[in-house]
C-alpha cells in the first residue's frame, strides 16, 4: 500500500469532490446460542477479520431499550453547561474526561467538530465523574451499560483467541476491567450540526477524519437516522488515508439493534497481521444527501491492561506490554499530526496537540 500524503490544497479538492462509493458486504454475525455455536461463530469472525476488518453483531444480548437509555444519558451529559462539563476535563495521562473540538487527525490536519466524554472502569476515572447532584443516576447507568458492552466484547475475544490458537480466556484476561489499571474506554460522542449546502466559505467541517483504531476491538453504537460512518478496507486503499478511494456507508440499523465492530491495530499486531485493521471515518458533510444534523454515537474501545504481554503466536513483532503499545501508538499519532501541520502553509503558529489514547469513529 502506498503512503502518500496530499498537500492541503489537494486535500481541500478531495474533500469537496464527490465521494466515490462502492457496495461492500459488511458481514453480519449472530451471537445467538453462543456457547453451543462458538465454533461456528469463531469461523465467521475469523473470516470477517481476515477479509474485511469490519462486521456487525446481532443477537448480542444488549436490549434496544438499554441502548436507548445510554443515548439518553449521553444527551443529558452533553446538554449540561460547559462550566459543568468542564469540571471533568480530559486527562491525556488517564485518557478520561470531557473535551471539545480538541482531536486532530493526521489525515486532515484539522480538528474534528465534536465533543466527547471518555469513561473507564478503573482508577483512570477517579475525579472524572460528575457528581450525583449535577447528573443524578448518570454514573450508575453508564457503568451498567459499559459492563454489558464488556460482556459482548469478551465473547468476541474468546472467539478471536480460539481462532489464533490461544486459550479461550487469553484476551479476556489481558482486558480484565476489574483491575485498577484497566485501559478500556467507553466514549460518548456528540458531533455538532454543520452548515447546509451551499457553503460559501468552502470550509470543510470534519467530523472524524479517516483513521484506524489502535485498540484490540471497537464496538460502535449508532443512533438511527444519524448516518455518516464510512469504511475503506486497508487492503483496498491506494493512499495512506484512503484519499480519493472508494468508500462504503455503514448505516445505523435500529431494527436489528446491530453493533458495528472493527479490528484495531492491536489485534492486527497480536495476530501477526493476519487480521486487518480498517480505515474508517465519519464523513465531513459536503454533498447532497449527506447528514448535516447533530450526531450521537458511542464507541467502546477494548484496550489491554498496562502489564498485558502482547505478542502474536508467530512472534512477528517484539513483545511489548499494553502500556508500551499504547505509548508507541500515541507517539506515532502525535508525530504524524506534527509532520502534517508543519507542511501546511496557512499554519501561523504551533498548535498544541494532545492526542487521545483511542482513535475513534
Amino acid at each position: 500500500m502506498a503512503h502518500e500524503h496530499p498537500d492541503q490544497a489537494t486535500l481541500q479538492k478531495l474533500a469537496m469532490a464527490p465521494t466515490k462509493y462502492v457496495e461492500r458486504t459488511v458481514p453480519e454475525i449472530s451471537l445467538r446460542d453462543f456457547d453451543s455455536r462458538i465454533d461456528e461463530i469463531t469461523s465467521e469472525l475469523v473470516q470477517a477479520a481476515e477479509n474485511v476488518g469490519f462486521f456487525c453483531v446481532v443477537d448480542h444480548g444488549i436490549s434496544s431499550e438499554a441502548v436507548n437509555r445510554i443515548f439518553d444519558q449521553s444527551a443529558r451529559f452533553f446538554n449540561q453547561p460547559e462550566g459543568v462539563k468542564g469540571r471533568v476535563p480530559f486527562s491525556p495521562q488517564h485518557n478520561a474526561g470531557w473535551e471539545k473540538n480538541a482531536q486532530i487527525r493526521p489525515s486532515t490536519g484539522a480538528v474534528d467538530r465534536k465533543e466527547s466524554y471518555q469513561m473507564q472502569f478503573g482508577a483512570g476515572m477517579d475525579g472524572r465523574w460528575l457528581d450525583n447532584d449535577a447528573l443524578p443516576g448518570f454514573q450508575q447507568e453508564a457503568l451498567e451499560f459499559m459492563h454489558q458492552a464488556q460482556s459482548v466484547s469478551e465473547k468476541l475475544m474468546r472467539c478471536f483467541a480460539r481462532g489464533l490458537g490461544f486459550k479461550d480466556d487469553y484476551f479476556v484476561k489481558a482486558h480484565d476491567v476489574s483491575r485498577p489499571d484497566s485501559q478500556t474506554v467507553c466514549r460518548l460522542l456528540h458531533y455538532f450540526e454543520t452548515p447546509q449546502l451551499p457553503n460559501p466559505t468552502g470550509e470543510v467541517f470534519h467530523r472524524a477524519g479517516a483513521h484506524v483504531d489502535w485498540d484490540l476491538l471497537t464496538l460502535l453504537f449508532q443512533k438511527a437516522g444519524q448516518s455518516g460512518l464510512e469504511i475503506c478496507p486497508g487492503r483496498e486503499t491506494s493512499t495512506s488515508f484512503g484519499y480519493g478511494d472508494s468508500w462504503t456507508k455503514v448505516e445505523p440499523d435500529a431494527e436489528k439493534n446491530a453493533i458495528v465492530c472493527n479490528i484495531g491495530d492491536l489485534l492486527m499486531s497480536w495476530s501477526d497481521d493476519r487480521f486487518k485493521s480498517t480505515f474508517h471515518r465519519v464523513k465531513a458533510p459536503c454533498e447532497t444527501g449527506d447528514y448535516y444534523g447533530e450526531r450521537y454515537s458511542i464507541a467502546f474501545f477494548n484496550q489491554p491492561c498496562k502489564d498485558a504481554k502482547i505478542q502474536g503466536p508467530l512472534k512477528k513483532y517484539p513483545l511489548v506490554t499494553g502500556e508500551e503499545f499504547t505509548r508507541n501508538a500515541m507517539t506515532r499519532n502525535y508525530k504524524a499530526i506534527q509532520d502534517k501541520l508543519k507542511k501546511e502553509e496557512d499554519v501561523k503558529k504551533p498548535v498544541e496537540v494532545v492526542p487521545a489514547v483511542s482513535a475513534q469513529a
Side-chain angles (χ1 to χ4, degrees), residues 64-76 78-79 145 187-191 207 219-229 250-260 282 291 293-299 361:
S64 297
E65 292 75 18
V67 174
N68 290 334
R69 285 198 303 270
I70 191 62
F71 273 117
D72 289 342
Q73 294 293 340
S74 177
R76 283 183 69 208
F78 290 123
N79 284 334
F145 174 80
R187 192 178 204 199
L188 307 181
L189 291 148
H190 175 217
Y191 299 90
R207 290 192 152 176
L219 276 60
L220 182 70
F221 300 81
Q222 301 187 88
K223 277 187 74 69
Q226 299 181 1
S227 61
L229 177 65
V250 183
E251 299 287 353
D253 190 340
E255 184 177 342
K256 291 186 176 180
N257 190 25
I259 305 173
V260 179
V282 179
Y291 178 70
E294 65 177 344
R295 179 181 188 270
Y296 288 88
S297 64
I298 300 170

Side-chain angles (χ1 to χ4, degrees), residues 2 18 24 52 72 153 157 161 179 194 212 227 255 315 317 323:
R24 296 181 178 95
V52 184
D72 289 342
S153 295
M157 287 180 197
R179 295 180 52 181
T194 62
V212 292
S227 61
E255 184 177 342
K315 297 179 170 54
Y317 300 105
E323 185 174 25

Side-chain angles (χ1 to χ4, degrees), residues 171-205:
F171 289 133
V172 174
K173 286 183 175 179
H175 296 78
D176 184 353
V177 298
S178 70
R179 295 180 52 181
D181 67 344
S182 164
Q183 297 186 103
T184 288
V185 165
C186 183
R187 192 178 204 199
L188 307 181
L189 291 148
H190 175 217
Y191 299 90
F192 305 120
E193 185 175 4
T194 62
Q196 294 277 347
L197 293 172
N199 179 3
T201 67
E203 184 178 359
V204 179
F205 292 86

Side-chain angles (χ1 to χ4, degrees), residues 22 34 43 56 80 114 131 158 183 188 230 233 236 245 291:
V22 63
F34 179 80
S43 176
C56 293
Q80 297 297 309
K114 68 175 190 294
D131 59 49
R158 285 172 60 191
Q183 297 186 103
L188 307 181
E230 299 179 353
E236 299 180 34
D245 284 314
Y291 178 70

